[in-house]
Amino acid sequence: MEKTVYDNRRWRELPRDGECVVSFLFGEAAGPCRGHMSRHHVNPDDPRSRSFQVCVRHHNRVQAIVRRLLDPPGWKRCPHKWGTHRYRSGLEACERELNRELLEELGVAA
Ligand SMILES: [Zn+2]
Ligand SMILES: [Zn+2]
C-alpha cells in the first residue's frame, strides 16, 4: 500500500493558480483570500483522492466546516485552544473521550 505522501511530483504539479473555492462559493461574505493557494484533500488519508484549491486563510475554515458536516449530530468539539493538540491524532483522541457516551450509543468502539 502506498504511503500518504503529498510531496510527490504528481501532487506538486497540481494547479495552484485558480480561484479559492471559498471565495468562489461565498464571495465577499467569506472575507478576502490570504496567503498562497493550497489544496484541500476531500479524503486526507488518500493522496490520490480529489482535492480543490483554497487559500491558506480559508483552508482552516474549510477543515472546520467539513468536520462539522461529517460528524454525527450531538458531537462535542474539542474545547481546547487552537494548537493544543499538535497532531490530528491528539485532537481525535480528545474528542473521542468527550463523546464516549455518544460513541457507545452509536455502537462505535471508543
Ligand atoms: Zn480564500
Ligand atoms: Zn482537546
Side-chain angles (χ1 to χ4, degrees), residues 2-57:
E2 208 171 308
K3 270 199 303 178
T4 306
V5 177
Y6 295 126
D7 190 27
N8 59 27
R9 190 169 156 196
R10 192 175 168 276
W11 174 243
R12 281 198 304 271
E13 284 175 352
L14 285 170
R16 284 174 180 74
D17 53 2
E19 191 175 10
C20 167
V21 163
V22 173
S23 166
F24 172 75
L25 289 174
F26 304 107
E28 287 177 11
C33 290
R34 205 166 294 153
H36 64 267
M37 204 57 78
S38 64
R39 295 197 72 101
H40 178 78
H41 268 282
V42 174
N43 176 4
D45 297 323
D46 177 6
R48 280 177 295 188
S49 69
R50 283 175 299 141
S51 63
F52 54 79
Q53 298 183 64
V54 62
C55 74
V56 166
R57 179 178 187 220

Side-chain angles (χ1 to χ4, degrees), residues 59-79:
H59 201 170
N60 282 339
R61 291 200 207 174
V62 165
Q63 269 157 346
I65 291 163
V66 168
R67 288 205 301 130
R68 210 153 293 183
L69 275 174
L70 301 181
D71 284 341
W75 186 261
K76 295 190 195 90
R77 300 266 132 231
C78 162

